Amino acid sequence: MSKLVSSLKEAIIAAGLKDHMTISFHHHLRNGDYVLNMVLAKAAEMGIRDLNVNASSLFDVHEPVIGHIKNQVVTGLEVNYMGQKVGRAISEGILEKPVIFRSHGGRAGDMENGSAKVDIAFIAAPCADNMGNMSGKYGPSACGSLGYAFSDAMYADKVVVITDYLVPYPLQDCSIPEGYVDYVVCVDKIGDASRIVSGTTRITRDPVGLRIAWLASQVVKHSGYLKDGFSFQTGAGGASLAVAKYVEEMMEKEKITGSFCMGGITGYLVSMMEKGYFETILDVQCFDLSAVASIRENKRHREISASRYASPAAKSSAVDSLDVVILGATQADTDFHVNVHTDSNGNIMGGSGGHSDTAQGAKLSIVAAPLIRARLPLIADKVLCRSTPGETIDVIVTQRGIAVNPRNQELRETLVRAGLPVKDIQELKKIAEDMAGVPKEVACKGRTVAKVLYRDGTLLDTIQAKS
Amino acid sequence: MSKLVSSLKEAIIAAGLKDHMTISFHHHLRNGDYVLNMVLAKAAEMGIRDLNVNASSLFDVHEPVIGHIKNQVVTGLEVNYMGQKVGRAISEGILEKPVIFRSHGGRAGDMENGSAKVDIAFIAAPCADNMGNMSGKYGPSACGSLGYAFSDAMYADKVVVITDYLVPYPLQDCSIPEGYVDYVVCVDKIGDASRIVSGTTRITRDPVGLRIAWLASQVVKHSGYLKDGFSFQTGAGGASLAVAKYVEEMMEKEKITGSFCMGGITGYLVSMMEKGYFETILDVQCFDLSAVASIRENKRHREISASRYASPAAKSSAVDSLDVVILGATQADTDFHVNVHTDSNGNIMGGSGGHSDTAQGAKLSIVAAPLIRARLPLIADKVLCRSTPGETIDVIVTQRGIAVNPRNQELRETLVRAGLPVKDIQELKKIAEDMAGVPKEVACKGRTVAKVLYRDGTLLDTIQAKS
């Protein structure tokens, strides 16, 4: 018995792909992924139409999906994140049916509770055996954690594993076991390794970014959470890493040992664990090669599924035990609602990822962002898209001041006492407008091109076409 | 947020235990388990009645269940294995409703497909954190693999984790994650470590046992499966270990490297892996302390769930890739059906465990057993209980000869050519009867006290009361 089939086409036929089905993909191969394009091209060639694609994220490499939408091969999209290229096309209205946006935890949760049904999951696996045991840790296209793919494997009717590194049965260090897998197909390459992960991720040198990071670290310091057992999530961007650096310096000085860190894992967090600042990394996604090496070799660096990371359908997830998260924003508003789906012109160029999951779960959620970006103020009266509800955001940190959500008066007073530049959110808005001018209202009044679901599946907001 | 409750009683109340519910337990603490007795005693004290208990196995330590049956606290039992003490009471008819016997794979499968519904799983966890991440590898009551508990955690409505070793969040090397857990309770002791696992398991010195083991190893040798990539399961008994020893000697001589071994894992199999005879151990259950140490420390020794081991509801499981399994029997018959549920007098004293799972999955299934036991012949016209269907048994090896299932004529000829003492099953039966006499028919004509389900959930046989 073996589940190996000789070609992708054979796997597609065996799995029974038909018009109108929902197929799913994970995004651990990021901007180096070949698999989504490969499957859609083959489906198109086979004359299949009207597919609903549930991809945990779409990057610029997935630009061919635009052609498939135009040709009616793809008529539905569900994603947690969408890069600029596909995002702009969606904002222009190429897809009739609104895109469904979820959070990373929400996607897992909606698969668990049955509201996001997948007919066939196509799982890019950097390493697999002939029965479908798979891992992301080994092989020429190693991406580390396969965290987002667990739900696809567990809840899709049929599961096709696509690998370029077939190992003898049984794959020892298997992430997702064979019991969920129907077919395995071995192809030449599942991705471009140089684009799967960046070689290094660097701390910003931009003085504005450093100022924001330093202020954010001061909020962490005075919040009361920075003590033994501290848990922390920060992003992989240069400013987020600068926060990590400042936090590390404080932990060193105060001799604090944290419990775990999470999020998109980079070499910087790996080195913090290795130096003993954190006991454990819980890794739903690796962002660079150091993280991939570490999850393969260091027992303290553990792979977790999206469900274990943040599913609201699980009885608990790691975000429920998280102390502090550092988040980004393209826009925020005076009610502390945050937009990470569109730019300030209303073009789709992002998505929640784990934003709303961690904001709700963490004890302290800090948005750190420049007050002005591309000559537009960060803070508006109303965000163009409500990605994360304001009631789950505690603090907005900019280079010109820190706004504390009025729901958290105690924290506000603590930060004022610490001498930090605490300002009212309206005041921050005014500073930005004094610098950059009041932006003219963005006309996003076309039909609905996307629906943004909150992590619990309820509708948070809609995104309108740019017309 | 924490799921810790202060006492077992509080956990029982929080989980909503009521009359008529089904509760479940795993048996990794074996004859040292305190948890099943602890929960039933508390339920009895709280006045709860009419419970259906789904325990993966019951050992002699669980004798108090007899009292709970008499008091109507327990009115239903579902098990994969039942030790002699409870078995005899069941055979005497103390429980009105027939016991449901399943295999290890069948139990997992029936939970997966919904035909075995559990209201509350009580999971003994040698190590856990306050959110319910758990492991069997650490703590004073370490038992190694928690393989059988995965299905309980994943499919029960409510899950209560009972531990005596609470660690800081997050438990790094977690087997079953928090997403399945509702409550955690910390008690003084979950088991008697000295009875959880035996210190050592020794190869038999009995000449009859050694003869049987040697013959079984010769069947393996000539079957054609003993080559690079060989996979193997054998039991933990002294004769099974002797088979492992003879197999090891052949692998050494022929320079063969196997792929994986499975089953109840002992130090003997661990040492075979360490010496390089097997790449990997897939471990659903540890049988001794060497195995517990190895699964904790050696990356090549991997924990697998009962589903991954043998579930017929999974898309595949490890038994489907198994080459050779060595099995026991209390009785066999001329159709090669095997009884492992009752002794030759019809008293319940065992159960399938993984017997029928591996017999069906493995390419070659060998029953190795003495031709006469307690003055009774191994081979009857009809087994008292059909535990494993004859069509899944390839060979029966006794000290006086080897019977090959007529379905496998090619193997029979190979073994004859190899000069092994191949005999017709009727001939073996006659040899036994010539030695021990024809046994008088056992009177098991009372009402049905147990139903034996095959791994796919169909009824294989029933067991009658001894009256």
Side-chain angles (χ1 to χ4, degrees):
Chain A
M1 184 185 176
S2 169
K3 297 175 183 170
L4 266 183
V5 294
S6 62
S7 68
L8 178 57
K9 185 174 177 180
E10 200 183 317
I12 289 174
I13 293 169
L17 183 64
K18 289 187 187 67
D19 295 0
H20 318 300
M21 279 189 169
T22 294
I23 60 178
S24 79
F25 301 90
H26 71 74
H27 71 281
H28 289 284
L29 301 182
R30 304 175 60 77
N31 210 31
D33 175 47
Y34 288 173
V35 166
L36 185 141
N37 293 341
M38 193 189 292
V39 171
L40 289 182
K42 188 58 72 181
E45 184 190 309
M46 292 166 70
I48 293 166
R49 293 293 178 274
D50 204 13
L51 292 172
N52 183 47
V53 172
N54 181 333
S56 53
S57 297
L58 289 177
F59 289 87
D60 286 351
V61 71
H62 300 122
E63 202 177 357
V65 83
I66 296 171
H68 294 304
I69 289 172
K70 289 181 177 163
N71 294 332
Q72 305 284 312
V73 174
V74 173
T75 54
L77 274 182
E78 306 179 38
V79 297
N80 308 343
Y81 175 95
M82 184 179 277
Q84 206 169 11
K85 284 191 178 170
V86 183
R88 185 170 288 266
I90 294 297
S91 285
E92 284 165 1
I94 60 160
L95 185 64
E96 195 174 331
K97 202 159 60 177
V99 169
I100 304 289
F101 273 105
R102 291 189 180 84
S103 70
H104 286 331
R107 180 178 189 266
D110 280 356
M111 288 186 181
E112 286 163 60
N113 67 31
S115 54
K117 195 75 205 75
V118 175
D119 295 302
I120 308 175
F122 291 94
I123 303 185
C127 177
D129 64 30
N130 68 324
M131 297 300 279
N133 292 297
M134 66 187 113
S135 166
K137 298 177 189 170
Y138 310 93
S141 308
C143 60
S145 177
L146 281 182
Y148 299 122
F150 281 75
S151 320
D152 303 49
M154 293 172 76
Y155 299 102
D157 278 349
K158 297 284 176 185
V159 174
V160 176
V161 168
I162 302 172
T163 190
D164 54 10
Y165 187 61
L166 201 64
V167 299
Y169 185 95
L171 167 59
Q172 256 171 42
D173 183 9
C174 132
S175 294
I176 302 179
E178 63 181 272
Y180 299 116
V181 177
D182 295 279
Y183 305 101
V184 179
V185 58
C186 192
V187 298
D188 277 352
K189 278 176 89 62
I190 60 169
D192 173 352
S194 70
R195 286 159 181 258
I196 290 171
V197 285
S198 49
T200 58
T201 322
R202 290 188 188 208
I203 293 171
T204 187
R205 292 185 188 176
D206 166 49
V208 171
L210 286 173
R211 165 79 181 162
I212 296 166
W214 186 80
L215 285 174
S217 74
Q218 294 307 298
V219 175
V220 175
K221 175 179 176 177
H222 295 287
S223 69
Y225 295 114
L226 192 66
K227 57 188 179 195
D228 281 344
F230 174 62
S231 58
F232 185 54
Q233 170 161 340
T234 188
S240 300
L241 292 183
V243 183
K245 175 175 165 283
Y246 291 127
V247 166
E248 177 178 343
E249 286 169 6
M250 293 187 291
M251 292 176 87
E252 185 183 8
K253 197 172 157 195
E254 308 285 334
K255 301 200 189 325
I256 289 165
T257 305
S259 56
F260 68 96
C261 56
M262 281 205 306
I265 302 301
T266 58
Y268 201 87
L269 293 177
V270 168
S271 86
M272 284 184 78
M273 174 192 64
E274 287 172 350
K275 289 184 225 163
Y277 294 115
F278 291 104
E279 291 285 348
T280 310
I281 292 175
L282 299 181
D283 190 343
V284 72
Q285 186 182 9
C286 295
F287 271 67
D288 66 18
L289 292 172
S290 310
V292 174
S294 171
I295 200 173
R296 183 169 51 227
E297 288 150 27
N298 193 328
K299 282 177 73 168
R300 293 165 54 205
H301 187 154
R302 311 298 301 197
E303 180 180 40
I304 58 170
S305 68
S307 175
R308 192 165 166 216
Y309 172 50
S311 169
K315 288 170 179 175
S316 70
S317 57
V319 296
D320 300 324
S321 295
L322 183 62
D323 287 333
V324 176
V325 64
I326 310 293
L327 296 164
T330 57
Q331 267 194 322
D333 68 24
T334 50
D335 291 322
F336 287 79
H337 298 313
V338 175
N339 176 12
V340 288
H341 280 86
T342 74
D343 60 22
S344 302
N345 293 313
N347 285 306
I348 295 171
M349 43 66 73
S352 293
H355 201 284
S356 61
D357 296 314
T358 48
Q360 189 181 50
K363 295 185 186 68
L364 177 66
S365 61
I366 301 172
V367 167
L371 190 58
I372 289 161
R373 198 186 265 134
R375 303 210 183 159
L376 288 167
L378 174 71
I379 297 164
D381 283 327
K382 190 173 181 308
V383 283
L384 288 172
C385 174
R386 200 149 70 95
S387 308
T388 295
E391 62 264 30
T392 64
I393 299 294
D394 294 293
V395 184
I396 297 176
V397 176
T398 72
Q399 72 273 33
R400 295 296 294 267
I402 298 168
V404 182
N405 194 318
R407 297 165 57 101
N408 204 334
Q409 202 53 38
E410 203 178 325
L411 177 65
R412 183 179 200 284
E413 285 159 20
T414 306
L415 299 183
V416 168
R417 271 199 305 277
L420 292 174
V422 174
K423 295 199 165 63
D424 188 83
I425 186 90
Q426 295 284 357
E427 199 182 340
L428 271 189
K429 175 173 174 264
K430 185 164 184 311
I431 295 172
E433 289 178 352
D434 287 348
M435 291 163 74
V438 179
K440 62 175 183 197
E441 203 169 317
V442 175
C444 287
K445 290 178 176 165
R447 63 180 183 78
T448 297
V449 295
K451 294 179 178 180
V452 177
L453 304 188
Y454 195 40
R455 57 195 304 248
D456 63 5
T458 55
L459 183 68
L460 252 186
D461 209 343
T462 57
I463 301 174
Q464 266 54 49
K466 293 277 297 174
S467 61
Chain B
M1 185 186 175
S2 168
K3 297 174 183 171
L4 266 183
V5 295
S6 62
S7 68
L8 177 58
K9 185 173 177 181
E10 200 184 316
I12 289 173
I13 292 169
L17 184 64
K18 291 189 187 63
D19 294 0
H20 317 302
M21 278 189 170
T22 294
I23 60 178
S24 79
F25 301 90
H26 71 75
H27 72 281
H28 289 283
L29 302 181
R30 302 175 60 77
N31 211 30
D33 175 47
Y34 288 174
V35 167
L36 184 142
N37 293 342
M38 194 189 292
V39 171
L40 290 182
K42 188 56 72 180
E45 185 190 307
M46 291 166 69
I48 293 165
R49 294 292 178 274
D50 205 13
L51 292 172
N52 183 47
V53 173
N54 181 333
S56 53
S57 297
L58 290 176
F59 289 87
D60 286 351
V61 71
H62 299 123
E63 201 178 0
V65 83
I66 296 171
H68 294 304
I69 289 171
K70 290 181 176 163
N71 294 333
Q72 305 284 312
V73 174
V74 174
T75 54
L77 274 183
E78 305 179 39
V79 297
N80 308 342
Y81 176 94
M82 184 180 278
Q84 204 169 13
K85 284 191 178 171
V86 182
R88 185 170 288 267
I90 295 297
S91 285
E92 283 165 3
I94 61 159
L95 185 63
E96 195 173 330
K97 201 157 63 176
V99 170
I100 304 290
F101 274 106
R102 292 189 179 85
S103 70
H104 286 333
R107 180 178 189 266
D110 280 356
M111 288 187 181
E112 285 164 61
N113 68 31
S115 53
K117 195 74 204 75
V118 175
D119 295 301
I120 308 174
F122 291 94
I123 303 186
C127 177
D129 65 30
N130 68 324
M131 297 300 279
N133 292 296
M134 66 187 114
S135 166
K137 299 177 188 170
Y138 311 92
S141 308
C143 61
S145 177
L146 280 182
Y148 300 121
F150 281 75
S151 320
D152 303 50
M154 292 172 76
Y155 299 103
D157 278 349
K158 297 285 176 184
V159 174
V160 176
V161 168
I162 302 172
T163 189
D164 53 11
Y165 188 61
L166 200 65
V167 299
Y169 184 93
L171 167 59
Q172 257 172 40
D173 184 9
C174 132
S175 294
I176 301 179
E178 62 180 275
Y180 300 116
V181 177
D182 295 279
Y183 305 101
V184 179
V185 58
C186 192
V187 299
D188 277 352
K189 279 177 89 60
I190 60 168
D192 173 352
S194 70
R195 287 158 180 258
I196 290 171
V197 285
S198 49
T200 59
T201 323
R202 290 186 188 210
I203 293 171
T204 186
R205 292 183 187 177
D206 165 50
V208 170
L210 286 172
R211 165 80 180 161
I212 296 167
W214 186 81
L215 285 173
S217 75
Q218 294 307 299
V219 174
V220 175
K221 176 179 176 179
H222 294 287
S223 69
Y225 295 115
L226 193 65
K227 58 188 179 194
D228 281 343
F230 174 62
S231 58
F232 185 54
Q233 169 161 339
T234 187
S240 299
L241 291 183
V243 183
K245 175 175 165 283
Y246 291 127
V247 166
E248 176 178 342
E249 286 168 5
M250 293 187 291
M251 293 177 86
E252 184 183 8
K253 197 172 157 197
E254 309 285 335
K255 301 200 189 324
I256 289 166
T257 304
S259 57
F260 68 96
C261 56
M262 281 206 304
I265 301 301
T266 58
Y268 201 88
L269 293 178
V270 168
S271 85
M272 285 184 77
M273 174 191 65
E274 288 171 350
K275 288 184 224 161
Y277 295 115
F278 290 103
E279 292 285 347
T280 310
I281 293 175
L282 299 181
D283 189 343
V284 72
Q285 187 182 9
C286 295
F287 270 68
D288 66 17
L289 292 173
S290 309
V292 174
S294 171
I295 200 173
R296 184 170 51 226
E297 288 150 27
N298 194 327
K299 281 177 73 167
R300 292 165 56 207
H301 187 154
R302 311 300 300 197
E303 180 180 40
I304 58 170
S305 68
S307 174
R308 192 167 165 214
Y309 172 51
S311 169
K315 288 170 180 175
S316 70
S317 56
V319 296
D320 300 324
S321 295
L322 182 63
D323 287 334
V324 176
V325 63
I326 309 292
L327 297 164
T330 57
Q331 267 194 323
D333 69 23
T334 50
D335 292 321
F336 288 78
H337 299 312
V338 174
N339 176 11
V340 288
H341 280 87
T342 74
D343 61 22
S344 302
N345 293 314
N347 286 307
I348 295 172
M349 43 66 74
S352 293
H355 200 284
S356 60
D357 296 315
T358 47
Q360 190 182 48
K363 295 185 187 67
L364 177 66
S365 60
I366 301 172
V367 167
L371 190 59
I372 290 160
R373 199 187 264 135
R375 303 209 182 160
L376 287 167
L378 173 71
I379 297 164
D381 284 326
K382 189 173 182 309
V383 283
L384 288 172
C385 174
R386 201 150 70 95
S387 308
T388 296
E391 61 265 31
T392 63
I393 300 293
D394 294 293
V395 185
I396 297 176
V397 176
T398 72
Q399 72 273 33
R400 296 294 294 266
I402 298 168
V404 181
N405 193 319
R407 297 165 57 100
N408 204 335
Q409 203 52 39
E410 203 178 325
L411 178 65
R412 184 180 200 283
E413 285 159 20
T414 306
L415 299 183
V416 168
R417 271 199 306 277
L420 292 174
V422 174
K423 296 198 164 64
D424 188 82
I425 187 89
Q426 295 285 357
E427 199 181 341
L428 272 189
K429 174 171 175 265
K430 186 165 183 311
I431 295 173
E433 289 178 353
D434 286 349
M435 291 163 74
V438 178
K440 62 174 182 196
E441 202 169 318
V442 175
C444 287
K445 291 177 174 163
R447 63 182 183 78
T448 297
V449 296
K451 294 180 177 180
V452 177
L453 304 188
Y454 194 40
R455 58 195 302 249
D456 63 4
T458 56
L459 183 69
L460 251 186
D461 209 343
T462 57
I463 301 174
Q464 266 54 50
K466 292 277 297 172
S467 62

